Amino acid sequence: METLMSKSTQEIMLDNNSMVLDMRQAVFSRTPFSYRVGNSTLHVQTKFVMLVAAIGLVSLLVLFMIMPTYHVGKSNLTNDLWGHGEEHGHGHHHQRNWFAFYNSDRGYIKYRIAVVTDLDTNSKHPTEKNSWISYLKKGHLTVSVENQEVTVDWDKDLITLTSNMAYGGRGMELSELIVFNGKLYAVDDRTGIIYEIDLQSNKAIPWVVLTDGNGRQVKGFKSEWATVKDETLIVGGLGKEWTTSSGELVNHNPQWVKTITTRGYIEHHDWTKNYEKLRESVGIFFPGYMIHESCTWAEGLQRWVFLPRRASTSRYDENDDEHRGTNLMLEATEGFENIKVTHVGEKIATHGFSSFKFIPGTKENLIVALKSEEVNGAVASFIMAFNMAGKVLLPETKVGDYKFEGIEFV
C-alpha cells in the first residue's frame, strides 16, 4: 500500500513539474501573445510595446524641458512663486497659488493694489451735510523676477468712500488698509472706527470702534498702523508720547496698541517700553521722539518690522516736525529684545513712511511702501519698493497730491 501511494505521489509531482515547465515556456516564448477580439486576432509584440513606451517617456521629458517656466534666472527676489505664498485671510499663512489671483508672463508678476487717503480737514464733504469722504485709488504693481525691478501703473479714476460718522466735526481720515479675516479694512485715525471696505459696492461699513489709551477714554484711538499676527488684528498709534505743540508731555495714550479678534473682541496693551526701545536703537531719548505710521509682523522672519515716519533727537516742534522724515527700517524680535537698524535709500527730510506691505510670494523679502509729505499745508504721496537689505528696486515715485496713508494687495 505504501509503495503504491509513493508511486502515485511521484507521478503527481512529475505532472506538476511538467505543467510548471510548460508555463515557463509559454511565458518566455518568443511567440507573440494573441488575443481574440470579435472576429479578429490581436497580436502584441513585447519588444514593440517597450519601444513605444520608451519613445513616449522621452517625448514627455523633452516637452517638460522646453516648456516656459516662471522661475526665471537665478534671482533670489522671489521664492516658490508657483504657490505656497502668503495668504491674508484670518491672519495666518496658507499654501496657496497666488497665480490664481495675479497675472504672470515669463517672469513678470502683476498684482492688484489699492491705496487710501487721509484728507485731514479736507475730508469734510464739500456739499453734503454731515458727510465725510476718503479716496481709494487702485493700480497694478508689476515685479520683474529676473531683473529685480518693480513698476506701478494706476487706474485713472478715484473711488470715493463716504461716511456719516465723525468725532469733533472730523471723520474718514483713513490711515491704513489691511486684509483680515477674508475682508478689507481701513482704520480712521480721527474717530477710532475700523471700517470694512466693500470693493463691490464701494462702501465703507463701520465694524468696531477703538478708544484711546487704555480703552477707558471718550476720545477715539488715533489709529495709524495695522498688521495681523496669530489670527488677530493688531492696530497701533503714533508710538510717541502725546505732547503739546511745543513738546510738553501730556499722556502716553498713543503708545498703546489694540488687538481685535475675528469676532470683534478688543483688548488694550501698553507698548510704551517697546516704543522706547525702538527709538533708543538709533540713539533717541525723550524729549526726542519717533513717530510710527507703519508696522508689519513678519511671520516667516518672526520679527516686527517698522518704517518710522519721523524721528528727531530734539524736542517736538510742530513746524520743525515737517522736516524730520526718515529712511529707517527697524526689525525687532517678538519681545523687542533685539533691534536691527537698516537705512533704505536716500533720506529726504520732508518725506516719511506712512504704510507698507510685503509683496506676496517673496517670502517677506520685498516691500512696497508709501511715503507722505506735508509742508506748509501742501501734501503729496510717493511709492517705492526695496528689499530687506535696503536695496531700492523702485525709487520714490509720486502717486498724487493727496496724502495716501494706507496700501494693500487686493
Side-chain angles (χ1 to χ4, degrees):
M1 176 71 72
E2 290 180 359
T3 304
L4 290 173
M5 290 180 63
S6 175
K7 181 180 290 187
S8 177
T9 302
Q10 290 176 359
E11 291 174 351
I12 293 173
M13 291 177 64
L14 288 171
D15 289 341
N16 286 341
N17 290 337
S18 178
M19 290 176 62
V20 170
L21 180 60
D22 291 341
M23 290 175 65
R24 287 180 177 176
Q25 289 177 346
V27 170
F28 293 101
S29 174
R30 294 179 178 272
T31 305
F33 295 113
S34 299
Y35 294 91
R36 186 75 177 177
V37 181
N39 294 322
S40 303
T41 302
L42 179 65
H43 300 280
V44 181
Q45 294 286 355
T46 304
K47 290 185 177 180
F48 177 76
V49 172
M50 293 178 63
L51 178 61
V52 171
I55 293 174
L57 180 60
V58 171
S59 299
L60 286 174
L61 289 174
V62 171
L63 181 62
F64 179 81
M65 292 176 65
I66 66 175
M67 283 180 65
T69 175
Y70 296 105
H71 297 278
V72 182
K74 299 181 180 179
S75 169
N76 290 323
L77 177 65
T78 57
N79 295 286
D80 200 14
L81 286 172
W82 277 109
H84 318 301
E86 171 188 347
E87 183 184 353
H88 290 281
H90 303 281
H92 55 271
H93 297 252
H94 298 284
Q95 290 188 341
R96 185 160 184 169
N97 190 346
W98 278 101
F99 285 89
F101 302 95
Y102 301 117
N103 300 320
S104 176
D105 181 21
R106 295 183 179 276
Y108 290 90
I109 311 166
K110 183 178 289 188
Y111 302 87
R112 193 67 163 148
I113 60 172
V115 294
V116 73
T117 63
D118 176 355
L119 299 177
D120 293 325
T121 55
N122 291 326
S123 63
K124 184 74 174 71
H125 198 288
T127 58
E128 295 182 14
K129 187 178 180 180
N130 297 324
S131 184
W132 288 262
I133 63 173
S134 176
Y135 296 130
L136 186 82
K137 187 180 184 72
K138 291 183 179 180
H140 288 96
L141 180 143
T142 303
V143 179
S144 169
V145 178
E146 184 174 26
N147 299 326
Q148 299 196 16
E149 294 176 347
V150 177
T151 57
V152 179
D153 298 300
W154 297 105
D155 293 4
K156 182 178 179 181
D157 299 326
L158 291 174
I159 297 170
T160 301
L161 303 173
T162 307
S163 175
N164 299 117
M165 296 188 174
Y167 178 82
R170 294 173 64 176
M172 281 298 281
E173 300 179 19
L174 305 184
S175 58
E176 184 62 291
L177 281 176
I178 186 76
V179 172
F180 172 63
N181 196 28
K183 299 177 181 179
L184 178 65
Y185 292 100
V187 300
D188 183 352
D189 71 14
R190 178 57 53 172
T191 64
I193 296 173
I194 299 180
Y195 289 94
E196 176 191 340
I197 306 300
D198 186 340
L199 294 179
Q200 300 298 318
S201 61
N202 293 331
K203 290 183 178 179
I205 306 166
W207 179 41
V208 297
V209 180
L210 306 179
T211 49
D212 206 16
N214 61 6
R216 302 290 297 170
Q217 311 295 321
V218 296
K219 178 180 177 295
F221 183 55
K222 189 169 174 56
S223 310
E224 294 291 351
W225 57 263
T227 189
V228 177
K229 181 180 185 291
D230 301 330
E231 301 187 26
T232 301
L233 178 62
I234 303 174
V235 179
L238 294 171
K240 165 192 168 297
E241 299 87 347
W242 191 256
T243 62
T244 64
S245 59
S246 59
E248 299 295 328
L249 177 64
V250 176
N251 59 55
H252 291 273
N253 289 348
Q255 294 179 303
W256 284 70
V257 164
K258 317 295 179 175
T259 56
I260 308 98
T261 67
T262 57
R263 294 181 177 272
Y265 178 74
I266 302 168
E267 290 187 343
H268 312 270
H269 309 269
D270 187 353
W271 266 32
T272 301
K273 296 298 182 184
N274 295 339
Y275 282 123
E276 289 176 351
K277 290 177 181 178
L278 287 173
R279 68 188 183 201
E280 288 171 3
S281 69
V282 292
I284 297 176
F285 301 87
F286 188 81
Y289 65 93
M290 184 176 284
I291 293 177
H292 298 278
E293 294 190 4
S294 60
C295 167
T296 293
W297 167 253
E299 180 67 26
L301 304 175
Q302 288 292 292
R303 295 285 191 275
W304 300 99
V305 181
F306 290 83
L307 301 178
R309 183 173 182 188
R310 304 234 173 94
S312 174
T313 56
S314 303
R315 178 186 296 269
Y316 178 82
D317 179 84
E318 194 171 38
N319 295 319
D320 294 341
D321 184 59
E322 293 181 343
H323 299 269
R324 290 172 174 172
T326 85
N327 63 340
L328 295 173
M329 176 167 59
L330 308 178
E331 297 176 57
T333 51
E334 186 171 13
F336 290 81
E337 300 89 354
N338 298 296
I339 298 172
K340 176 184 176 182
V341 180
T342 304
H343 291 82
V344 179
E346 178 187 0
K347 178 181 176 180
I348 302 175
T350 57
H351 295 189
F353 292 105
S354 56
S355 181
F356 79 92
K357 293 293 185 297
F358 287 105
I359 297 179
T362 66
K363 292 193 174 181
E364 297 168 337
N365 179 51
L366 190 60
I367 286 173
V368 58
L370 292 177
K371 276 193 164 185
S372 299
E373 180 182 47
E374 297 178 88
V375 181
N376 298 324
V379 299
S381 295
F382 306 84
I383 191 169
M384 68 181 304
F386 49 90
N387 64 22
M388 288 297 289
K391 178 184 177 182
V392 176
L393 305 179
L394 171 66
E396 289 189 35
T397 305
K398 190 172 183 178
V399 180
D401 292 320
Y402 294 107
K403 190 171 61 167
F404 289 98
E405 290 201 342
I407 188 169
E408 182 58 288
F409 290 85
V410 296

